[in-house]
Structures are given as structure tokens and as C-alpha cells.
Amino acid sequence: MTDLLDKAGSQTHETSANDRMVVRFAGDSGDGIQLLGSETAKATALSGHDLITLPDFPAEIRAPVGTTYGVSAYQIQFGGPEILTSGDAADVLVAFNPAALKTNLNTVRRGGLLIVDKGSLTKRGLEKAGYDADPTEDGSLAGYRVMLIDVTGLTAIAVAATGVGKKQAGRAKNFWALGLVFWMFGHDRTTTRNWIEARFKATPDIAAANIAALDAGHAYGETAEIGADIAFRAAPAVRPPGLYRTVTGTDAMAIGLSAVAACSGLKVTYCTYPITPASALLHALAKLRGHGVVTFQAEDEIAAVCAAVGASYAGGLGVTASSGPGIALKAEALGLAVAAELPLIAVDVQRAGPSTGMPTKAEQGDLTMAVHGRHGEAPACVMAPATPSDCFDTVIEAARIATTHMTPVIILSDAYIANAAEPWRVPDADALPDITPAFRTDPENFQPFLRDPDTLSRPWVRPGTEDMIHRIGGLERSSDTGHISYDPANHQQMTDLRQRKIERIADAVAPAAIEEGPDAGDILIVGWGSTYGPLKSAARRVRQHGHAVAHLHLRLLWPLPRGLQEIFGRFRRIVVAEMNSGQLLELIRAQLLIPAEGLNQVTGQPFRAGDVEAHLLRLLED
């Protein structure tokens, strides 16, 4: 039942010599690929390894079965002592059908292992994937090791005793593959078995079938003669002691918003309208009922952001989220929050392309829109988390800035950060910052637009506060009384004040600092958002060649943090790497008059550390 073909012409491949492994699962959207990946990530973390994942799935709800359009994938790199990316190329690809093999073969390194469901290699299956011949027989997989296993047939045998039908037996094949993978990497099945029992408590026959498949896949690995080199034991992670859990960026942001409610004493109201890939945040927050966050699904994007503005006006903290198209629709109401000078958090989970584009793929194309994408002179603060777990700290800092400086804060996440998972050290709740806002309650000499001398923010007064009736809104206001004003000089003054208020945020956050590497040298590579891992990894590799290369990552994007000019002056070349056509590069050039150069990628996929390394080495040859 096992056909192990060493297409690379070598029997000496020793995966166990590595300290990390990259595994990719691929199949139809209905094959449970994302579940397979997430359970692998969970077991990997519990085994003491560091990890980063890359869920990679189509936007279509269910493309035709067996076609290349409907292939879903999940990649995970795990091991130690530290994992920074989901991996440049897979060491192992588990392909459930010919379409998955065809669309994902280019993600596997030469000499890598292909585990292919032999039962899917039917004439019809091959034709639907666009194959003229069986790739496992025509030599097209030369250079890879191929393991053919009849996963579909073996799963049917394993679950036969549970009494489930043929359809459900087919659905259990992902758990059979999971059992084999657990054997390969030495993962414990207990947590997954417990999850299956809890998830399918109401359908015990399905639970039994999935557990039977899981155990059968594991037993297959133990008993089949497939070579000791297939088994792999990754190096453990090196982390500070503490309580850890695996989180996606969406999880971390949801927990962070709950922490904002606890740390500020404010009622956090999350107002949104469904859009991929931001919708998951609503789902995550809805599960946190009773933990300080109220969720509201509006009838459209404009209603959602207006409700969030209303929540902030009422003395709470309004939060809204969307992806690029929805943020564009929210632009006018964001301008209202700027004009009224109310705190607000707007999360943009960026996706690839204009219009609908590629809704499930990652891109950083909304930076210019976040900084300038409102009518009139309407400045706002813009931030970006660097990793999935960083979303927790970013949303707390965004809330502090929003309430202290009375401004909207836009958080630029993206599809990669939102969906990727990594271990996160759960913080001590008592150590979280106190971000309780200072509401104005003293009516003496009160004017709604008199300003704090340090932050230039106006006072925040809850409606109904005794003797402090006032008006705010979208019409221009007098610089102190808040009365409606069309005076030209006043409009200039208010425009300048709003701009200077945002600029002063840079004085209230940590100055720019090099993430890792020398304080001066040949190249400083600058990034933001989800490019963090690939850039940091690439800079490390180039330093191993003896070059003075450092990495700086921006979390505050507007205003730019203090200290950049001085840091940039210590390096011969500044390279700004981003998943767009050069938007941060334009800001840096315009604001700092620095002759920086760009490294840009717009593919819907994260940077590969090897590609960044190669680019830096080419620059060093100049």
C-alpha cells in the first residue's frame, strides 16, 4: 500500500538533522485543510516548539471539487530555537488530490517529500486538475521524494466499524493524514482526541470515526516500512518561562480589545459590517461576551463607523474594522471623528488588489489611504502590528493614543497577520498599563476646544455632565468656544492645531530603534507590518556573511517616530521593503528627504526571507 519513490536519486536525506521543518497541507476546500493545519499547530506548540503558520485559501466558498481553483493550503514552520517565518519552501507537502499537487508543487524545495493520496489519482481527478498523465509515473516529479498512500481507502477501512456513511468516511481523511503527521513529528494525539470528542459531542458516531481515522494514520506510520528518515524531531523553542497559548492576529486583537476595556474602564463598542478577511474579528469578539466589549453588526460600512463614532461621543470607545474597500466607505465618518476630535479605533485588515481583488491574500496597499485617504485636511494616527501576537499590544497602545490625543487611530493589519498563528506568552494582567482616560468634569472656564498644552487635545466630556453642555460635530468650530465658524483665520488655526496634535503623538511614544543588528553599517532594511519575520531573518543571514546589515521595523507609521533621521544617517544604504509599490518609501522620502530605495512585492504572498537575502547581497556587491 506504500510506494516510496526516491525521485531525487538519494536515500540519505536526513530530515532529523535539521532544527526546524516546513510542512504544507493542500486539498479541496472541503477536505478540512485549515482544521488539519490548526490542529498541527496546536500539537506543535504543546510539544514545545516555536512556530509560524500561513493559512492560504481561496476566496470562493466552494469551487468545483477537484479543480485548481478550489485548492486550500496551510503551511507551518516549526522547531527552534526561534521561528520567524512560515518558511520559504516546504520540506513536506501532503496533497489530497492532483489539483493540490499541481498548484502547490512549486512551494516545495527540491528533494522535498511529497505525500500524495494515491486514491485520488483517478483519470477524472487528473483531468480536472489539468494533467495529461499521472505525474507520479511520467517523471515530472523527478527531484522529489514521493510517497503514495491510499489515504482515502485506508480511511474508509479505519472508520468502517463506526457505522458512518461513505460521505462522512471521506471527510475523515484529514484526520488520518493528521495521525500520520503526528507520528512523523512525534506529536501527542491526546489534545486532538479531546477536541474531537468535544466538537462532535452531539454526533458520537462522527466523533468515533474521526478518532479512528486519527489513530489509524498514526498506527500506519508506526507499522509501515517507510524509512526511519521520514520521522523528524524538531529542536525545542527557547523562550522565557511563562504561560503560553497559540494565537492568530485576530485572536490577539480580540483579547487586546477586551484588555482595553479592563485597562481603561471604558465600554468598548465594536461596530462592523462583514467583509473578508476582517469578519473573523467580529466572530472572535462575539465569543467574549461579558468581557467588556459589546458587538454590533450594522447594515453597511457607513452605519458601522457612524455607530462607533457615536459610542465614543457617548463616553465609551468606539471601534470599527473592515478591509480596504470598507475603509474607503468609512472615510467621511473618519473625517467626522477628526473634526469632532473624538477617540476611535479603525482596524484595516488589508487584502490584495483594488476592488474585490484577492480577498484572502495579503498586501500592504492601504498605507497611503490610511494616512491621506480622507477629504480635507483630516490627519489621523496610523499604526501597524508586526506579528500576530503583537496585535495585542498594538490595540492597547492605539487605545491609549486615541483617548489621550482625542483622535482616530487606524491600525493596519493584513490577511497574513490576521490568519497566521504563533505562540504568545500570556501577560500578567496586573502588569498591563493603566490607560484610564481623564474626562473633564469641572465646568469652570470650560470650552470644548481649549487644548492641553502638551498634547493639544481638547477635553473629553461625557454628554449629560452637569453644567457642561456643549456642541461638537462635522462643521468647523471656533478654536475655543466650539461655536460654528466660517472665519478664514479660524479655519487655518484649527487646521494647524489638528495637524500639530497628530505630530505630537511622536513625542509620546518610544523613538525609532534598530530591531536587530549594528548601529551603523552598509544597509539598514526598514519594514512595517507582516514583513517583520522575513526581513529580520534575511538581515540575520546577511550578517552571517560578514556584512553590517541591520533591521528597523516601524509600528508607528503616522506620524513617523522620532529619531529616524539620525539612524538613517549612519547607514550607507536604506532599503524599504513592503508588499506594495512603495508607499512607505514615498512617505520617508517626502518627510525626511532621504534617498531610500525600495524592495517591493505585490503577489498576495508574504516575502520569502531567501529572496530578501539575495536582494541585499546583490546590493552589497555594488
Side-chain angles (χ1 to χ4, degrees):
M1 290 182 288
T2 301
D3 185 8
L4 181 57
L5 308 176
D6 192 344
K7 299 289 187 179
S10 171
Q11 298 285 346
T12 60
H13 176 75
E14 291 291 342
T15 57
S16 58
N18 300 327
D19 59 358
R20 59 192 62 191
M21 174 67 72
V22 180
V23 182
R24 189 174 179 91
F25 306 99
D28 269 319
S29 294
D31 285 337
I33 299 301
Q34 301 304 312
L35 173 60
L36 171 57
S38 62
E39 286 300 308
T40 302
K42 185 193 305 181
T44 297
L46 290 172
S47 297
H49 305 301
D50 199 5
L51 64 102
I52 294 285
T53 70
L54 173 61
D56 190 5
F57 45 87
E60 290 80 7
I61 295 175
R62 184 64 64 85
V65 174
T67 65
T68 57
Y69 304 106
V71 173
S72 177
Y74 192 106
Q75 184 165 308
I76 174 173
Q77 179 171 208
F78 64 94
E82 181 184 21
I83 301 297
L84 295 173
T85 75
S86 57
D88 286 0
D91 299 298
V92 178
L93 170 65
V94 180
F96 283 87
N97 61 22
L101 177 63
K102 186 170 188 177
T103 56
N104 286 269
L105 184 62
N106 64 342
T107 69
V108 185
R109 66 170 177 82
R110 302 298 288 181
L113 175 64
L114 309 177
I115 300 177
V116 182
D117 182 2
K118 187 177 182 179
S120 71
L121 298 177
T122 63
K123 184 176 184 295
R124 177 170 172 76
L126 292 167
E127 289 176 349
K128 292 178 74 173
Y131 280 117
D132 296 325
D134 188 337
T136 65
E137 297 178 351
D138 65 2
S140 61
L141 301 182
Y144 301 94
R145 295 184 307 150
V146 182
M147 181 187 295
L148 296 177
I149 306 176
D150 187 6
V151 176
T152 301
L154 291 173
T155 302
I157 294 172
V159 305
T162 65
V164 297
K166 183 178 179 180
K167 183 177 180 180
Q168 185 55 48
R171 288 178 175 175
K173 66 182 179 181
N174 61 335
F175 284 105
W176 193 98
L178 186 62
L180 176 62
V181 168
F182 278 11
W183 170 80
M184 290 173 62
F185 305 133
H187 294 341
D188 186 21
R189 288 167 287 159
T190 303
T191 300
T192 299
R193 289 173 62 102
N194 293 341
W195 179 88
I196 292 172
E197 290 173 349
R199 173 66 178 82
F200 299 102
K201 184 177 180 179
T203 51
D205 57 334
I206 295 177
N210 289 332
I211 291 173
L214 178 73
D215 291 342
H218 194 276
Y220 183 90
E222 289 180 330
T223 58
E225 297 179 2
I226 57 178
D229 64 322
I230 301 303
F232 174 84
R233 299 296 180 268
V238 177
R239 305 192 198 103
L243 176 64
Y244 287 82
R245 60 163 290 180
T246 300
V247 292
T248 64
T250 296
D251 296 332
M253 192 166 287
I255 298 169
L257 286 171
S258 182
V260 165
C263 295
S264 66
L266 296 173
K267 184 176 183 178
V268 176
T269 304
Y270 180 74
C271 310
T272 191
Y273 180 77
I275 184 172
T276 302
S279 300
L281 184 55
L282 174 61
H283 304 159
L285 285 169
K287 297 176 182 178
L288 296 179
R289 293 176 181 173
H291 292 275
V293 182
V294 174
T295 58
F296 167 61
Q297 180 176 317
E299 65 268 29
D300 55 45
E301 297 281 9
I302 298 172
V305 66
C306 287
V309 172
S312 293
Y313 172 71
L317 179 60
V319 182
T320 190
S322 189
S323 297
I327 295 297
L329 291 169
K330 296 177 190 290
E332 183 179 1
L334 288 171
L336 171 61
V338 171
E341 300 190 43
L342 286 168
L344 183 74
I345 294 177
V347 179
D348 180 357
V349 187
Q350 301 166 96
R351 63 194 205 182
S355 188
T356 305
M358 299 192 294
T360 61
K361 308 303 180 184
E363 196 168 290
Q364 295 180 311
D366 296 348
L367 175 57
T368 299
M369 180 173 69
V371 174
H372 297 302
R374 292 165 294 281
H375 62 278
E377 296 288 336
C381 179
V382 181
M383 305 179 68
T387 66
S389 60
D390 193 35
C391 290
F392 176 85
D393 297 308
T394 299
V395 78
I396 293 176
E397 178 67 355
R400 184 190 70 82
I401 291 173
T403 56
T404 301
H405 297 266
M406 297 296 285
T407 179
V409 176
I410 299 173
I411 298 176
L412 293 178
S413 177
D414 64 46
Y416 180 31
I417 282 183
N419 294 320
E422 67 177 353
W424 173 57
R425 186 183 183 188
V426 179
D428 180 357
D430 294 333
L432 294 176
D434 181 359
I435 56 174
T436 305
F439 286 99
R440 175 75 182 260
T441 57
D442 182 5
E444 186 175 354
N445 300 320
F446 166 69
Q447 296 289 354
F449 283 94
L450 290 177
R451 301 190 177 269
D452 181 280
D454 296 322
T455 65
L456 295 182
S457 61
R458 74 168 188 86
W460 195 7
V461 179
R462 281 193 171 105
T465 303
E466 189 174 356
D467 297 327
M468 299 184 75
I469 296 175
H470 63 287
R471 294 183 300 172
I472 60 174
L475 289 170
E476 185 63 285
R477 303 286 166 168
S478 171
S479 62
D480 49 12
T481 66
H483 298 319
I484 295 171
S485 173
Y486 292 95
D487 178 68
N490 179 77
H491 179 52
Q492 181 71 61
Q493 182 181 7
M494 289 295 286
T495 300
D496 294 343
L497 281 170
R498 287 188 289 260
Q499 180 62 42
R500 286 162 48 204
K501 181 180 73 169
I502 297 302
E503 291 172 354
R504 289 200 180 184
I505 292 173
D507 297 325
V509 301
I514 292 173
E515 185 77 27
E516 190 174 271
D519 290 334
D522 299 317
I523 295 178
L524 176 67
I525 187 163
V526 180
W528 64 278
S530 63
T531 63
Y532 176 83
L535 300 191
K536 186 173 183 178
S537 180
R540 283 182 178 179
R541 295 181 189 182
V542 176
R543 284 197 300 274
Q544 291 174 357
H545 291 279
H547 300 292
V549 174
H551 170 218
L552 186 149
H553 216 74
L554 295 178
R555 289 169 173 82
L556 179 66
L557 297 171
W558 196 257
L560 291 173
R562 303 292 188 225
L564 281 178
Q565 190 100 33
E566 192 272 334
I567 293 174
F568 287 173
R570 300 199 300 261
F571 288 84
R572 186 169 62 89
R573 302 180 82 154
I574 308 299
V575 178
V576 181
E578 46 190 333
M579 295 190 297
N580 56 44
S581 296
Q583 297 181 21
L584 177 60
L585 176 66
E586 289 181 357
L587 289 178
I588 287 175
R589 284 175 171 173
Q591 295 294 309
L592 304 178
L593 303 179
I594 294 291
E597 51 198 291
L599 173 57
N600 304 103
Q601 173 179 300
V602 192
T603 63
Q605 295 293 324
F607 275 112
R608 295 194 302 183
D611 293 341
V612 179
E613 175 191 9
H615 181 81
L616 295 179
L617 290 173
R618 284 194 298 270
L619 292 180
L620 288 163
E621 293 174 356
D622 292 348

Coordinates of all heavy atoms in Angstrom, one line a residue, residues 41-94:
A41 N -0.7 22.9 14.3 CA -0.1 24.0 15.0 C -0.3 23.9 16.5 O 0.7 24.1 17.3 CB -0.7 25.3 14.5
K42 N -1.4 23.4 17.0 CA -1.7 23.3 18.4 C -0.8 22.2 19.0 O -0.2 22.4 20.0 CB -3.2 22.9 18.6 CG -3.6 22.9 20.0 CD -5.0 22.2 20.2 CE -6.1 22.9 19.3 NZ -7.4 22.2 19.5
A43 N -0.7 21.1 18.3 CA 0.1 20.0 18.8 C 1.6 20.4 18.8 O 2.3 20.0 19.7 CB -0.2 18.7 18.0
T44 N 2.0 21.1 17.8 CA 3.4 21.5 17.7 C 3.7 22.4 18.9 O 4.8 22.3 19.5 CB 3.6 22.3 16.4 OG1 3.3 21.4 15.3 CG2 5.0 22.9 16.3
A45 N 2.8 23.4 19.2 CA 3.1 24.3 20.3 C 3.2 23.5 21.6 O 4.0 23.8 22.5 CB 2.0 25.4 20.4
L46 N 2.2 22.6 21.8 CA 2.2 21.8 23.1 C 3.5 20.9 23.2 O 3.8 20.4 24.2 CB 1.0 20.9 23.1 CG -0.3 21.7 23.4 CD1 -1.5 20.8 23.2 CD2 -0.3 22.4 24.7
S47 N 4.1 20.6 22.0 CA 5.3 19.8 22.0 C 6.6 20.6 22.4 O 7.7 20.1 22.4 CB 5.5 19.1 20.7 OG 4.5 18.2 20.4
G48 N 6.4 21.9 22.6 CA 7.5 22.8 23.0 C 8.3 23.4 21.9 O 9.4 23.9 22.1
H49 N 7.7 23.5 20.7 CA 8.3 24.1 19.5 C 7.8 25.5 19.3 O 6.7 25.9 19.6 CB 8.1 23.3 18.3 CG 8.5 21.9 18.4 ND1 9.8 21.5 18.8 CD2 7.8 20.7 18.3 CE1 9.9 20.1 18.8 NE2 8.7 19.7 18.6
D50 N 8.7 26.4 18.7 CA 8.2 27.6 18.2 C 7.6 27.4 16.8 O 7.9 26.4 16.1 CB 9.4 28.6 18.1 CG 8.9 30.1 18.0 OD1 7.7 30.3 18.1 OD2 9.8 30.9 17.8
L51 N 6.7 28.3 16.3 CA 6.1 28.1 15.0 C 5.5 29.3 14.5 O 5.2 30.3 15.2 CB 5.0 27.0 15.2 CG 3.8 27.4 16.1 CD1 2.6 27.9 15.2 CD2 3.4 26.3 17.0
I52 N 5.4 29.4 13.2 CA 4.6 30.4 12.5 C 3.8 29.7 11.4 O 4.3 28.8 10.7 CB 5.5 31.5 11.8 CG1 6.2 32.3 12.9 CG2 4.7 32.4 10.9 CD1 5.4 33.3 13.6
T53 N 2.6 30.1 11.2 CA 1.7 29.4 10.2 C 1.4 30.3 9.1 O 1.4 31.6 9.2 CB 0.4 28.8 10.8 OG1 -0.4 29.9 11.2 CG2 0.8 28.0 12.1
L54 N 0.9 29.8 7.9 CA 0.4 30.5 6.8 C -0.8 29.8 6.2 O -0.7 28.9 5.4 CB 1.5 30.7 5.7 CG 1.0 31.3 4.4 CD1 0.6 32.7 4.6 CD2 2.2 31.3 3.4
P55 N -2.0 30.2 6.7 CA -3.2 29.7 6.0 C -3.3 30.3 4.6 O -3.1 31.5 4.5 CB -4.3 30.1 6.9 CG -3.7 30.5 8.3 CD -2.3 31.0 7.9
D56 N -3.6 29.5 3.6 CA -3.6 30.0 2.2 C -4.8 29.4 1.5 O -4.7 28.2 1.1 CB -2.3 29.6 1.6 CG -2.1 30.3 0.2 OD1 -2.9 31.2 -0.1 OD2 -1.1 30.0 -0.5
F57 N -5.9 30.1 1.4 CA -7.1 29.5 0.9 C -7.8 30.4 -0.1 O -7.5 31.7 -0.1 CB -8.1 29.2 2.1 CG -8.2 30.3 3.1 CD1 -9.1 31.3 2.9 CD2 -7.4 30.3 4.2 CE1 -9.3 32.3 3.8 CE2 -7.6 31.3 5.2 CZ -8.5 32.3 5.0
P58 N -8.6 29.9 -0.9 CA -9.3 30.7 -2.0 C -10.4 31.5 -1.4 O -10.9 31.3 -0.3 CB -9.8 29.7 -3.0 CG -10.0 28.5 -2.1 CD -9.0 28.5 -1.1
A59 N -10.8 32.5 -2.2 CA -11.9 33.4 -1.7 C -13.3 32.7 -2.0 O -14.3 33.0 -1.3 CB -11.9 34.7 -2.5
E60 N -13.3 31.8 -3.0 CA -14.6 31.1 -3.3 C -15.0 30.3 -2.2 O -14.2 29.6 -1.6 CB -14.4 30.3 -4.6 CG -14.3 31.1 -5.9 CD -12.8 31.6 -6.1 OE1 -12.0 31.2 -5.2 OE2 -12.6 32.4 -7.0
I61 N -16.3 30.3 -1.9 CA -16.8 29.5 -0.8 C -16.6 28.0 -1.1 O -16.2 27.2 -0.3 CB -18.3 29.8 -0.5 CG1 -18.5 31.2 0.0 CG2 -18.9 28.8 0.5 CD1 -19.9 31.7 0.1
R62 N -16.9 27.6 -2.3 CA -16.7 26.2 -2.7 C -16.6 26.1 -4.2 O -17.6 26.0 -4.9 CB -17.8 25.3 -2.2 CG -17.6 23.8 -2.4 CD -16.4 23.3 -1.7 NE -16.5 23.3 -0.3 CZ -17.1 22.4 0.5 NH1 -17.6 21.3 -0.1 NH2 -17.2 22.6 1.8
A63 N -15.4 26.2 -4.7 CA -15.2 26.0 -6.1 C -15.4 24.5 -6.5 O -15.5 23.6 -5.6 CB -13.7 26.4 -6.5
P64 N -15.6 24.2 -7.8 CA -15.8 22.8 -8.2 C -14.8 21.9 -7.6 O -13.6 22.1 -7.7 CB -15.7 22.9 -9.7 CG -16.1 24.3 -10.1 CD -15.6 25.1 -8.9
V65 N -15.2 20.8 -7.0 CA -14.3 19.8 -6.4 C -13.3 19.3 -7.4 O -13.6 18.9 -8.5 CB -15.2 18.6 -5.8 CG1 -14.2 17.6 -5.2 CG2 -16.1 19.2 -4.7
G66 N -12.1 19.2 -6.9 CA -11.0 18.7 -7.8 C -10.4 19.6 -8.7 O -9.4 19.2 -9.4
T67 N -10.8 20.9 -8.8 CA -10.3 21.8 -9.7 C -9.2 22.6 -9.0 O -9.1 22.7 -7.7 CB -11.3 22.8 -10.2 OG1 -11.8 23.6 -9.1 CG2 -12.4 22.1 -10.9
T68 N -8.3 23.2 -9.7 CA -7.2 24.0 -9.2 C -7.7 25.3 -8.5 O -7.1 25.9 -7.6 CB -6.2 24.4 -10.2 OG1 -6.9 25.1 -11.3 CG2 -5.5 23.2 -10.8
Y69 N -8.9 25.7 -8.9 CA -9.5 27.0 -8.3 C -9.9 26.8 -6.8 O -9.9 27.8 -6.1 CB -10.7 27.4 -9.1 CG -10.5 27.6 -10.6 CD1 -10.9 26.7 -11.5 CD2 -9.7 28.7 -11.1 CE1 -10.7 26.8 -12.8 CE2 -9.5 28.8 -12.4 CZ -10.0 27.9 -13.3 OH -9.8 28.0 -14.6
G70 N -10.2 25.6 -6.4 CA -10.7 25.4 -5.1 C -9.7 24.9 -4.1 O -10.1 24.4 -3.0
V71 N -8.4 24.9 -4.4 CA -7.4 24.3 -3.6 C -7.2 25.2 -2.4 O -6.9 26.4 -2.5 CB -6.1 24.1 -4.3 CG1 -5.0 23.6 -3.3 CG2 -6.3 23.0 -5.4
S72 N -7.2 24.6 -1.2 CA -6.9 25.3 0.1 C -5.6 24.7 0.6 O -5.3 23.5 0.5 CB -8.0 25.1 1.1 OG -7.7 25.6 2.3
A73 N -4.8 25.6 1.2 CA -3.5 25.1 1.7 C -3.2 25.7 3.1 O -3.8 26.7 3.5 CB -2.4 25.5 0.8
Y74 N -2.3 25.1 3.8 CA -1.9 25.5 5.2 C -0.5 25.1 5.4 O -0.1 24.0 5.3 CB -2.8 24.9 6.3 CG -2.7 25.5 7.6 CD1 -3.7 26.3 8.1 CD2 -1.6 25.3 8.4 CE1 -3.6 26.9 9.4 CE2 -1.5 25.8 9.7 CZ -2.5 26.6 10.2 OH -2.4 27.2 11.5
Q75 N 0.4 26.1 5.6 CA 1.8 25.9 5.8 C 2.2 26.2 7.2 O 1.8 27.2 7.8 CB 2.6 26.7 4.8 CG 4.1 26.5 4.8 CD 4.8 27.0 3.6 OE1 4.4 26.7 2.5 NE2 5.9 27.8 3.8
I76 N 3.1 25.4 7.8 CA 3.6 25.7 9.1 C 5.1 25.4 9.1 O 5.6 24.4 8.6 CB 2.9 24.9 10.2 CG1 3.5 25.0 11.6 CG2 2.8 23.4 9.8 CD1 2.7 24.3 12.7
Q77 N 5.9 26.3 9.7 CA 7.3 26.0 10.0 C 7.4 26.0 11.5 O 6.9 26.8 12.3 CB 8.2 27.1 9.5 CG 9.7 26.9 9.9 CD 10.7 27.8 9.2 OE1 11.8 27.4 9.0 NE2 10.3 29.0 8.9
F78 N 8.1 24.9 12.0 CA 8.2 24.7 13.5 C 9.5 24.2 13.8 O 10.3 23.7 13.0 CB 7.1 23.8 14.0 CG 7.2 22.4 13.5 CD1 7.8 21.4 14.2 CD2 6.6 22.0 12.3 CE1 7.9 20.1 13.7 CE2 6.6 20.7 11.8 CZ 7.3 19.8 12.6
G79 N 9.9 24.4 15.1 CA 11.2 23.9 15.6 C 11.8 24.9 16.5 O 11.0 25.5 17.3
G80 N 13.1 25.2 16.5 CA 13.7 26.1 17.4 C 15.1 26.5 16.9 O 15.5 26.0 15.9
P81 N 15.7 27.3 17.7 CA 15.3 27.9 18.9 C 14.2 29.0 18.7 O 13.5 29.4 19.6 CB 16.5 28.5 19.5 CG 17.4 28.7 18.4 CD 17.1 27.7 17.3
E82 N 14.2 29.7 17.5 CA 13.3 30.7 17.2 C 12.8 30.6 15.8 O 13.6 30.4 14.9 CB 13.9 32.1 17.5 CG 13.0 33.3 17.2 CD 13.6 34.6 17.4 OE1 14.9 34.7 17.3 OE2 12.9 35.6 17.6
I83 N 11.5 30.7 15.6 CA 10.9 30.7 14.2 C 10.4 32.1 13.9 O 9.6 32.6 14.7 CB 9.8 29.6 14.1 CG1 10.4 28.2 14.4 CG2 9.2 29.7 12.7 CD1 11.5 27.7 13.5
L84 N 10.8 32.6 12.8 CA 10.4 34.0 12.4 C 9.4 34.0 11.2 O 8.7 35.0 11.0 CB 11.6 34.8 12.0 CG 12.6 35.1 13.2 CD1 13.8 35.8 12.7 CD2 11.9 36.0 14.3
T85 N 9.4 33.0 10.4 CA 8.5 33.0 9.2 C 7.8 31.6 9.1 O 8.2 30.6 9.8 CB 9.3 33.2 7.9 OG1 10.1 32.1 7.6 CG2 10.3 34.4 8.1
S86 N 6.9 31.6 8.1 CA 6.2 30.3 7.9 C 7.0 29.4 6.9 O 6.6 28.3 6.6 CB 4.8 30.5 7.2 OG 5.0 31.3 6.1
G87 N 8.2 29.9 6.5 CA 9.1 29.1 5.7 C 9.1 29.5 4.2 O 8.0 29.8 3.7
D88 N 10.3 29.5 3.6 CA 10.4 29.9 2.2 C 9.9 28.8 1.3 O 9.3 29.0 0.3 CB 11.8 30.2 1.9 CG 12.3 31.5 2.4 OD1 11.5 32.2 3.1 OD2 13.5 31.9 2.2
A89 N 10.2 27.5 1.7 CA 9.8 26.4 0.9 C 9.5 25.2 1.8 O 10.1 25.0 2.8 CB 10.9 26.0 -0.1
A90 N 8.5 24.4 1.4 CA 8.1 23.3 2.2 C 9.1 22.1 2.1 O 9.6 21.8 1.0 CB 6.7 22.8 1.8
D91 N 9.3 21.5 3.2 CA 10.1 20.2 3.2 C 9.2 19.0 2.9 O 9.6 18.0 2.4 CB 10.8 20.0 4.6 CG 11.7 21.1 4.9 OD1 12.7 21.3 4.2 OD2 11.5 21.8 5.9
V92 N 7.9 19.2 3.3 CA 6.9 18.1 3.2 C 5.7 18.7 2.6 O 5.2 19.7 3.2 CB 6.6 17.4 4.5 CG1 5.6 16.3 4.3 CG2 7.9 16.8 5.1
L93 N 5.1 18.2 1.6 CA 3.8 18.6 1.1 C 2.9 17.3 1.2 O 3.2 16.3 0.7 CB 3.9 19.0 -0.4 CG 2.5 19.2 -1.1 CD1 1.7 20.4 -0.4 CD2 2.7 19.5 -2.6
V94 N 1.7 17.5 1.9 CA 0.7 16.5 1.9 C -0.4 17.0 1.0 O -1.1 17.9 1.2 CB 0.1 16.3 3.3 CG1 -0.9 15.2 3.4 CG2 1.3 16.0 4.3

